[in-house]
């Protein structure tokens, strides 16, 4: 790959990162991010015509977590992430809808006797590791976006909510929480953009971004998303709990998807070993 | 997760590292290892960098710099911290006082004061804080009275560091009581060897000795007035914002983390390891943010709220690293003791955390001050 092409890929990746961040700020469905990554998993491998046709229709990722394999969003195909990377027809496997905090369609899937199609069985596949890093970076972007959306909503709320004769946002005890979250978000978001760019650029340059960096980034984004959305919800008062309020929507999604790829501590642990990226 | 540097900046960093790899650097660091902080001035290292125009590379050539950029200056800061070279004289002289002079001094003052600072031959400090005036600098009480050919200064400055070695100090004093409190303050360049200046040591937790500096009618000639008379507060407000990128605080956090990481790696403790990795990620984020501001600084486009974010984030990070060091090494470990003594000053210096949060909140339309 030429250096020029690579810079283009880096820009694309940075813009995919920004797109994921933006979808978080408006609490769009998280499923779209994983569907896009599933397509990138398939595109990154030498697949035949049949499989390419399948990749054109929505494919959801099947990721192990909390004792079961879980997929997000409706899709005709499921791609079990790991080594080997296996594609299943949704109809071939048993699916159990889950009542998730996220308000998105989640289901536990059990492949049972279904064999599926092996997309990749190389344990040290670079395409798999790259896509896994993209997944972690974009999931991080989405979580950062949720945090930003929640902070934006809280800023508006505390400017408007009047108690004791003045907006509650005039109180430093309230304002400083949002100032601090904004600073932490800004720093982490800057790191996220940087890592997203380096993931692609690193493919040809000496200074590579290890998958570990994307996992550590995701861990930090997960923790901040839960903290920021919890604080933002609290600052809304009981009003924020209402189902028509965005504050509770950000909180639901942050909690649900912060542990989607493993708990933060688990992500950091995986990030500190060489074998990260292969499950 | 390092910032992406241009090839030219990478070369500069390498040139600097080659200089710092010289045997006389290691020899001096070994020699001052057990010296008390007030005596701890690595003059060989500073003069070596000065001789290569690397102490203040962003300054114009005629003042001993390289006509280079804020990014070059940030690299010097990172490498001093990274090599464990005491950087308090550098921060006070080059980053604080020197940058202020470059910003506001007359051509004659620049030509007189800057070259010895860039050469590592002299140091300079800033004396702003007083017993009753910290974050609220406009409430300062040090007075300057007009006399023939200049001014006489009366008052006392507290929490001054690096005073013993410095030839001059930038002093903020009140020159007028008319109008707003902010409008009557002037900056002066005061020779510290003047007998009317008395520095006395104040025992403190902070590792670098604190001094109280008494100004007992010290005479300052008109040629040593820095910037406009009665306009000092505005100069400082603008000057602080242009130097606040957080690079120095982040460099410290990273250098501390390097030390703590070695201790953690020697232990088989998953909890400590997890906290270390978490702080390393935060430090990487703080570094990318600080470097983004360095780029803005180069373009003359540094915005106050992002600068406040970088300062707040990176100074608070140092506190967390020091707390990890305590958990790793305990209260009698030399590493944790040094960090725990220094960290509380970092969230106070150059704008305390609450002031930073106030600036950020104000940009969000919160806090009732906007």
């Amino acid at each position: 790959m030429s250096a020029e092409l690579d810079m283009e890929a880096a820009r694309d990746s940075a813009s995919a990162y920004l797109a994921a961040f933006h979808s978080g700020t408006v609490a769009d469905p998280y499923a779209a991010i994983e569907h896009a990554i599933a397509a990138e998993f398939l595109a990154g491998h030498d697949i035949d015509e049949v499989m390419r046709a399948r990749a054109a229709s929505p494919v959801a990722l099947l990721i192990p977590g909390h004792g079961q394999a879980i997929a997000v969003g409706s899709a005709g195909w499921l791609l079990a992430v790991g080594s080997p990377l296996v594609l299943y027809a949704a109809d071939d496997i048993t699916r159990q809808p889950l009542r998730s905090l996220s308000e998105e369609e989640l289901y536990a899937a059990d492949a049972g006797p279904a064999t599926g199609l092996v997309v990749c069985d190389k344990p040290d596949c670079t395409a798999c590791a790259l896509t896994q890093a993209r997944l972690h970076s974009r999931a991080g972007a989405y979580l950062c976006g949720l945090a930003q959306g929640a902070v934006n909503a809280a800023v508006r709320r505390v400017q408007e909510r009047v108690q004791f004769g003045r907006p509650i946002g005039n109180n430093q005890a309230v304002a400083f929480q949002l100032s601090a979250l904004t600073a932490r978000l800004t720093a982490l978001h800057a790191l996220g953009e940087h890592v997203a760019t380096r993931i692609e650029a690193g493919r040809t340059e000496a200074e590579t971004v290890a998958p570990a960096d994307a996992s550590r980034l995701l861990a930090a984004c997960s923790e901040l998303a839960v903290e920021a959305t919890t604080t933002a919800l609290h600052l809304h008062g009981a009003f924020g709990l209402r189902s028509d309020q965005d504050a509770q929507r950000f909180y639901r999604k942050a909690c649900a998807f912060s542990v989607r790829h493993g708990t933060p501590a688990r992500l950091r642990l995986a990030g500190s070993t060489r074998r990260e990226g292969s499950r | 997760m390092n910032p992406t540097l241009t090839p030219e900046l990478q070369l500069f960093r390498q040139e600097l590292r080659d200089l710092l790899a010289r045997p006389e650097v290691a020899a001096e660091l070994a020699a001052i290892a057990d010296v008390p902080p007030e005596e701890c001035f690595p003059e060989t290292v500073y003069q070596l960098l000065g001789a290569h125009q690397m102490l203040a590379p962003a300054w114009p050539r005629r003042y001993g710099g390289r006509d280079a950029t804020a990014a070059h200056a940030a690299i010097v800061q990172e490498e001093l911290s990274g090599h464990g070279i005491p950087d308090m004289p550098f921060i006070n002289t080059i980053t604080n006082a020197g940058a202020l002079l470059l910003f506001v001094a007359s051509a004659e003052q620049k030509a007189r004061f800057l070259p010895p600072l860039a050469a590592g031959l002299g140091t300079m400090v800033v004396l702003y804080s007083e017993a009753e005036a910290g974050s609220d600098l406009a409430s300062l009480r040090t007075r300057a009275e007009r006399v023939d050919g200049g001014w006489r200064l009366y008052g006392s400055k507290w929490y001054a560091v690096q005073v013993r070695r410095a030839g001059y100090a930038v002093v903020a004093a009140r020159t007028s009581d008319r109008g707003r409190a902010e409008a009557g303050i002037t900056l002066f360049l005061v020779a510290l060897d003047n007998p009317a200046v008395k520095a006395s040591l104040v025992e403190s937790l902070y590792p670098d000795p604190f001094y109280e500096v008494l100004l007992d009618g010290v005479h300052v000639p008109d040629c040593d007035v820095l910037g406009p008379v009665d306009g000092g507060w505005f100069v400082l407000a603008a000057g602080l914002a242009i130097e606040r990128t957080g690079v120095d605080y982040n460099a410290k956090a990273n250098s501390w983390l390097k030390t703590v990481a070695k201790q953690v790696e020697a232990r088989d403790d998953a909890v400590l390891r997890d906290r270390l990795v978490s702080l390393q990620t935060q430090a990487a984020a703080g570094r990318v943010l600080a470097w983004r501001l360095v780029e803005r600084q180069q373009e003359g486009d540094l915005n106050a709220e992002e600068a406040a974010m970088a300062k707040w984030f990176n100074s608070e990070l140092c506190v967390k690293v020091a707390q990890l060091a305590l958990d790793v090494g305990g209260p009698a470990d030399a590493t944790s003791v040094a960090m725990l003594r220094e960290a509380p000053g970092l969230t106070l210096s150059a704008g305390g955390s609450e002031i930073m949060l106030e600036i950020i909140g104000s940009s969000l339309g919160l806090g009732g001050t906007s």
Side-chain angles (χ1 to χ4, degrees), chain B residues 8-37:
Chain B
E8 197 261 322
L9 286 171
Q10 288 174 27
L11 273 178
F12 178 80
R13 193 189 285 279
Q14 193 51 53
E15 189 187 342
L16 184 54
R17 284 183 177 171
D18 289 345
L19 271 187
L20 295 175
R22 289 194 183 179
E24 62 261 39
V25 174
E28 183 171 48
L29 287 182
I32 61 175
D34 296 320
V35 169

mmCIF file of all heavy atoms in Angstrom, chain B residues 8-37:
data_model
loop_
_atom_site.group_PDB
_atom_site.id
_atom_site.type_symbol
_atom_site.label_atom_id
_atom_site.label_comp_id
_atom_site.label_asym_id
_atom_site.label_seq_id
_atom_site.Cartn_x
_atom_site.Cartn_y
_atom_site.Cartn_z
ATOM 1 N N GLU B 8 11.177 17.277 11.327
ATOM 2 C CA GLU B 8 12.073 18.313 11.836
ATOM 3 C C GLU B 8 12.062 18.331 13.371
ATOM 4 O O GLU B 8 13.118 18.456 14.009
ATOM 5 C CB GLU B 8 11.627 19.671 11.268
ATOM 6 C CG GLU B 8 12.673 20.774 11.371
ATOM 7 C CD GLU B 8 12.434 21.684 12.563
ATOM 8 O OE1 GLU B 8 11.259 21.960 12.840
ATOM 9 O OE2 GLU B 8 13.418 22.090 13.206
ATOM 10 N N LEU B 9 10.885 18.163 13.951
ATOM 11 C CA LEU B 9 10.789 18.139 15.419
ATOM 12 C C LEU B 9 11.431 16.870 15.983
ATOM 13 O O LEU B 9 12.046 16.889 17.041
ATOM 14 C CB LEU B 9 9.329 18.243 15.860
ATOM 15 C CG LEU B 9 8.684 19.624 15.721
ATOM 16 C CD1 LEU B 9 7.183 19.547 15.990
ATOM 17 C CD2 LEU B 9 9.328 20.634 16.660
ATOM 18 N N GLN B 10 11.284 15.770 15.255
ATOM 19 C CA GLN B 10 11.916 14.522 15.700
ATOM 20 C C GLN B 10 13.437 14.668 15.711
ATOM 21 O O GLN B 10 14.115 14.191 16.620
ATOM 22 C CB GLN B 10 11.495 13.362 14.799
ATOM 23 C CG GLN B 10 10.043 12.958 15.021
ATOM 24 C CD GLN B 10 9.559 11.899 14.035
ATOM 25 O OE1 GLN B 10 10.347 11.116 13.527
ATOM 26 N NE2 GLN B 10 8.279 11.888 13.764
ATOM 27 N N LEU B 11 13.963 15.353 14.682
ATOM 28 C CA LEU B 11 15.408 15.602 14.620
ATOM 29 C C LEU B 11 15.855 16.475 15.788
ATOM 30 O O LEU B 11 16.902 16.225 16.395
ATOM 31 C CB LEU B 11 15.757 16.320 13.311
ATOM 32 C CG LEU B 11 16.032 15.446 12.097
ATOM 33 C CD1 LEU B 11 16.322 16.314 10.882
ATOM 34 C CD2 LEU B 11 17.223 14.511 12.372
ATOM 35 N N PHE B 12 15.032 17.485 16.081
ATOM 36 C CA PHE B 12 15.357 18.384 17.189
ATOM 37 C C PHE B 12 15.412 17.607 18.497
ATOM 38 O O PHE B 12 16.325 17.760 19.302
ATOM 39 C CB PHE B 12 14.318 19.512 17.268
ATOM 40 C CG PHE B 12 14.547 20.465 18.404
ATOM 41 C CD1 PHE B 12 15.492 21.479 18.313
ATOM 42 C CD2 PHE B 12 13.816 20.349 19.584
ATOM 43 C CE1 PHE B 12 15.707 22.356 19.368
ATOM 44 C CE2 PHE B 12 14.037 21.220 20.651
ATOM 45 C CZ PHE B 12 14.973 22.226 20.538
ATOM 46 N N ARG B 13 14.414 16.735 18.684
ATOM 47 C CA ARG B 13 14.389 15.926 19.911
ATOM 48 C C ARG B 13 15.637 15.045 19.991
ATOM 49 O O ARG B 13 16.257 14.903 21.046
ATOM 50 C CB ARG B 13 13.120 15.071 19.976
ATOM 51 C CG ARG B 13 12.888 14.464 21.354
ATOM 52 C CD ARG B 13 11.767 13.446 21.378
ATOM 53 N NE ARG B 13 10.419 13.970 21.313
ATOM 54 C CZ ARG B 13 9.738 14.474 22.352
ATOM 55 N NH1 ARG B 13 10.306 14.542 23.538
ATOM 56 N NH2 ARG B 13 8.515 14.902 22.199
ATOM 57 N N GLN B 14 16.020 14.481 18.858
ATOM 58 C CA GLN B 14 17.191 13.614 18.852
ATOM 59 C C GLN B 14 18.453 14.413 19.167
ATOM 60 O O GLN B 14 19.314 13.965 19.943
ATOM 61 C CB GLN B 14 17.329 12.912 17.488
ATOM 62 C CG GLN B 14 18.316 11.760 17.499
ATOM 63 C CD GLN B 14 18.046 10.772 18.646
ATOM 64 O OE1 GLN B 14 16.929 10.275 18.793
ATOM 65 N NE2 GLN B 14 19.043 10.527 19.490
ATOM 66 N N GLU B 15 18.556 15.615 18.577
ATOM 67 C CA GLU B 15 19.726 16.462 18.822
ATOM 68 C C GLU B 15 19.824 16.778 20.327
ATOM 69 O O GLU B 15 20.912 16.732 20.921
ATOM 70 C CB GLU B 15 19.572 17.760 18.005
ATOM 71 C CG GLU B 15 20.816 18.626 17.996
ATOM 72 C CD GLU B 15 20.565 19.983 17.315
ATOM 73 O OE1 GLU B 15 19.557 20.115 16.574
ATOM 74 O OE2 GLU B 15 21.373 20.898 17.537
ATOM 75 N N LEU B 16 18.673 17.054 20.914
ATOM 76 C CA LEU B 16 18.624 17.362 22.341
ATOM 77 C C LEU B 16 19.021 16.143 23.171
ATOM 78 O O LEU B 16 19.801 16.234 24.125
ATOM 79 C CB LEU B 16 17.199 17.826 22.676
ATOM 80 C CG LEU B 16 16.898 18.292 24.091
ATOM 81 C CD1 LEU B 16 17.849 19.380 24.531
ATOM 82 C CD2 LEU B 16 15.456 18.803 24.171
ATOM 83 N N ARG B 17 18.511 14.990 22.778
ATOM 84 C CA ARG B 17 18.843 13.755 23.516
ATOM 85 C C ARG B 17 20.333 13.441 23.415
ATOM 86 O O ARG B 17 20.930 12.954 24.369
ATOM 87 C CB ARG B 17 18.020 12.584 22.978
ATOM 88 C CG ARG B 17 16.593 12.644 23.452
ATOM 89 C CD ARG B 17 15.776 11.455 23.000
ATOM 90 N NE ARG B 17 14.430 11.551 23.559
ATOM 91 C CZ ARG B 17 13.420 10.756 23.226
ATOM 92 N NH1 ARG B 17 13.609 9.796 22.337
ATOM 93 N NH2 ARG B 17 12.241 10.908 23.778
ATOM 94 N N ASP B 18 20.906 13.722 22.229
ATOM 95 C CA ASP B 18 22.346 13.478 22.060
ATOM 96 C C ASP B 18 23.142 14.366 23.024
ATOM 97 O O ASP B 18 24.123 13.915 23.622
ATOM 98 C CB ASP B 18 22.768 13.751 20.613
ATOM 99 C CG ASP B 18 22.222 12.684 19.660
ATOM 100 O OD1 ASP B 18 21.793 11.618 20.164
ATOM 101 O OD2 ASP B 18 22.205 12.915 18.438
ATOM 102 N N LEU B 19 22.695 15.627 23.151
ATOM 103 C CA LEU B 19 23.371 16.534 24.086
ATOM 104 C C LEU B 19 23.258 16.009 25.518
ATOM 105 O O LEU B 19 24.233 15.990 26.269
ATOM 106 C CB LEU B 19 22.736 17.924 24.033
ATOM 107 C CG LEU B 19 23.249 18.962 23.044
ATOM 108 C CD1 LEU B 19 22.572 20.290 23.333
ATOM 109 C CD2 LEU B 19 24.766 19.114 23.151
ATOM 110 N N LEU B 20 22.046 15.575 25.851
ATOM 111 C CA LEU B 20 21.809 15.131 27.233
ATOM 112 C C LEU B 20 22.453 13.777 27.524
ATOM 113 O O LEU B 20 22.540 13.360 28.675
ATOM 114 C CB LEU B 20 20.295 15.092 27.523
ATOM 115 C CG LEU B 20 19.598 16.460 27.490
ATOM 116 C CD1 LEU B 20 18.095 16.310 27.670
ATOM 117 C CD2 LEU B 20 20.178 17.386 28.554
ATOM 118 N N ALA B 21 22.910 13.104 26.471
ATOM 119 C CA ALA B 21 23.586 11.812 26.669
ATOM 120 C C ALA B 21 25.073 12.005 26.960
ATOM 121 O O ALA B 21 25.787 11.042 27.229
ATOM 122 C CB ALA B 21 23.395 10.941 25.430
ATOM 123 N N ARG B 22 25.534 13.264 26.905
ATOM 124 C CA ARG B 22 26.965 13.504 27.159
ATOM 125 C C ARG B 22 27.321 13.169 28.606
ATOM 126 O O ARG B 22 26.512 13.362 29.507
ATOM 127 C CB ARG B 22 27.301 14.970 26.879
ATOM 128 C CG ARG B 22 27.270 15.301 25.417
ATOM 129 C CD ARG B 22 27.928 16.631 25.200
ATOM 130 N NE ARG B 22 27.866 17.028 23.799
ATOM 131 C CZ ARG B 22 28.352 18.169 23.348
ATOM 132 N NH1 ARG B 22 28.937 19.020 24.174
ATOM 133 N NH2 ARG B 22 28.272 18.469 22.076
ATOM 134 N N PRO B 23 28.555 12.678 28.807
ATOM 135 C CA PRO B 23 28.938 12.234 30.163
ATOM 136 C C PRO B 23 28.862 13.338 31.218
ATOM 137 O O PRO B 23 28.537 13.072 32.380
ATOM 138 C CB PRO B 23 30.380 11.738 29.987
ATOM 139 C CG PRO B 23 30.811 12.143 28.619
ATOM 140 C CD PRO B 23 29.593 12.408 27.813
ATOM 141 N N GLU B 24 29.127 14.598 30.813
ATOM 142 C CA GLU B 24 29.098 15.658 31.840
ATOM 143 C C GLU B 24 27.690 15.876 32.412
ATOM 144 O O GLU B 24 27.536 16.340 33.536
ATOM 145 C CB GLU B 24 29.682 16.974 31.300
ATOM 146 C CG GLU B 24 28.939 17.601 30.127
ATOM 147 C CD GLU B 24 29.576 17.291 28.774
ATOM 148 O OE1 GLU B 24 30.026 16.131 28.603
ATOM 149 O OE2 GLU B 24 29.615 18.184 27.898
ATOM 150 N N VAL B 25 26.673 15.495 31.621
ATOM 151 C CA VAL B 25 25.294 15.628 32.111
ATOM 152 C C VAL B 25 25.046 14.619 33.228
ATOM 153 O O VAL B 25 24.584 14.966 34.318
ATOM 154 C CB VAL B 25 24.274 15.440 30.962
ATOM 155 C CG1 VAL B 25 22.847 15.420 31.501
ATOM 156 C CG2 VAL B 25 24.440 16.547 29.923
ATOM 157 N N ALA B 26 25.402 13.365 32.942
ATOM 158 C CA ALA B 26 25.227 12.314 33.956
ATOM 159 C C ALA B 26 26.048 12.643 35.195
ATOM 160 O O ALA B 26 25.587 12.446 36.332
ATOM 161 C CB ALA B 26 25.636 10.966 33.376
ATOM 162 N N ALA B 27 27.246 13.160 34.976
ATOM 163 C CA ALA B 27 28.128 13.473 36.111
ATOM 164 C C ALA B 27 27.501 14.550 36.997
ATOM 165 O O ALA B 27 27.502 14.440 38.229
ATOM 166 C CB ALA B 27 29.489 13.934 35.593
ATOM 167 N N GLU B 28 26.944 15.587 36.366
ATOM 168 C CA GLU B 28 26.345 16.656 37.164
ATOM 169 C C GLU B 28 25.091 16.174 37.895
ATOM 170 O O GLU B 28 24.882 16.517 39.060
ATOM 171 C CB GLU B 28 26.002 17.867 36.286
ATOM 172 C CG GLU B 28 25.452 19.012 37.115
ATOM 173 C CD GLU B 28 25.305 20.313 36.350
ATOM 174 O OE1 GLU B 28 24.748 20.266 35.234
ATOM 175 O OE2 GLU B 28 25.737 21.362 36.859
ATOM 176 N N LEU B 29 24.283 15.356 37.198
ATOM 177 C CA LEU B 29 23.061 14.848 37.845
ATOM 178 C C LEU B 29 23.419 14.004 39.063
ATOM 179 O O LEU B 29 22.756 14.076 40.098
ATOM 180 C CB LEU B 29 22.225 14.035 36.850
ATOM 181 C CG LEU B 29 21.497 14.842 35.774
ATOM 182 C CD1 LEU B 29 20.663 13.935 34.888
ATOM 183 C CD2 LEU B 29 20.606 15.916 36.403
ATOM 184 N N ALA B 30 24.492 13.217 38.930
ATOM 185 C CA ALA B 30 24.934 12.396 40.067
ATOM 186 C C ALA B 30 25.413 13.302 41.194
ATOM 187 O O ALA B 30 25.127 13.061 42.373
ATOM 188 C CB ALA B 30 26.037 11.442 39.623
ATOM 189 N N ALA B 31 26.122 14.381 40.822
ATOM 190 C CA ALA B 31 26.692 15.269 41.835
ATOM 191 C C ALA B 31 25.618 16.018 42.617
ATOM 192 O O ALA B 31 25.800 16.304 43.807
ATOM 193 C CB ALA B 31 27.652 16.259 41.170
ATOM 194 N N ILE B 32 24.507 16.327 41.947
ATOM 195 C CA ILE B 32 23.476 17.112 42.653
ATOM 196 C C ILE B 32 22.353 16.253 43.229
ATOM 197 O O ILE B 32 21.403 16.769 43.807
ATOM 198 C CB ILE B 32 22.852 18.206 41.743
ATOM 199 C CG1 ILE B 32 22.169 17.590 40.518
ATOM 200 C CG2 ILE B 32 23.891 19.237 41.324
ATOM 201 C CD1 ILE B 32 21.435 18.599 39.662
ATOM 202 N N ALA B 33 22.500 14.921 43.074
ATOM 203 C CA ALA B 33 21.427 14.025 43.504
ATOM 204 C C ALA B 33 21.062 14.219 44.975
ATOM 205 O O ALA B 33 19.895 14.154 45.344
ATOM 206 C CB ALA B 33 21.797 12.580 43.231
ATOM 207 N N ASP B 34 22.067 14.469 45.815
ATOM 208 C CA ASP B 34 21.800 14.567 47.247
ATOM 209 C C ASP B 34 21.844 15.997 47.768
ATOM 210 O O ASP B 34 21.847 16.237 48.970
ATOM 211 C CB ASP B 34 22.807 13.695 48.022
ATOM 212 C CG ASP B 34 22.609 12.226 47.670
ATOM 213 O OD1 ASP B 34 21.442 11.810 47.541
ATOM 214 O OD2 ASP B 34 23.619 11.513 47.488
ATOM 215 N N VAL B 35 21.893 16.928 46.841
ATOM 216 C CA VAL B 35 21.948 18.339 47.220
ATOM 217 C C VAL B 35 20.542 18.821 47.559
ATOM 218 O O VAL B 35 19.583 18.436 46.895
ATOM 219 C CB VAL B 35 22.539 19.151 46.034
ATOM 220 C CG1 VAL B 35 22.384 20.637 46.251
ATOM 221 C CG2 VAL B 35 24.004 18.784 45.824
ATOM 222 N N PRO B 36 20.395 19.642 48.603
ATOM 223 C CA PRO B 36 19.044 20.154 48.894
ATOM 224 C C PRO B 36 18.513 20.974 47.718
ATOM 225 O O PRO B 36 19.297 21.600 47.002
ATOM 226 C CB PRO B 36 19.246 21.043 50.131
ATOM 227 C CG PRO B 36 20.704 21.155 50.341
ATOM 228 C CD PRO B 36 21.392 20.094 49.553
ATOM 229 N N PRO B 37 17.181 20.960 47.527
ATOM 230 C CA PRO B 37 16.586 21.571 46.329
ATOM 231 C C PRO B 37 17.052 22.997 46.058
ATOM 232 O O PRO B 37 17.261 23.368 44.911
ATOM 233 C CB PRO B 37 15.087 21.536 46.625
ATOM 234 C CG PRO B 37 14.922 20.431 47.589
ATOM 235 C CD PRO B 37 16.173 20.354 48.385
#
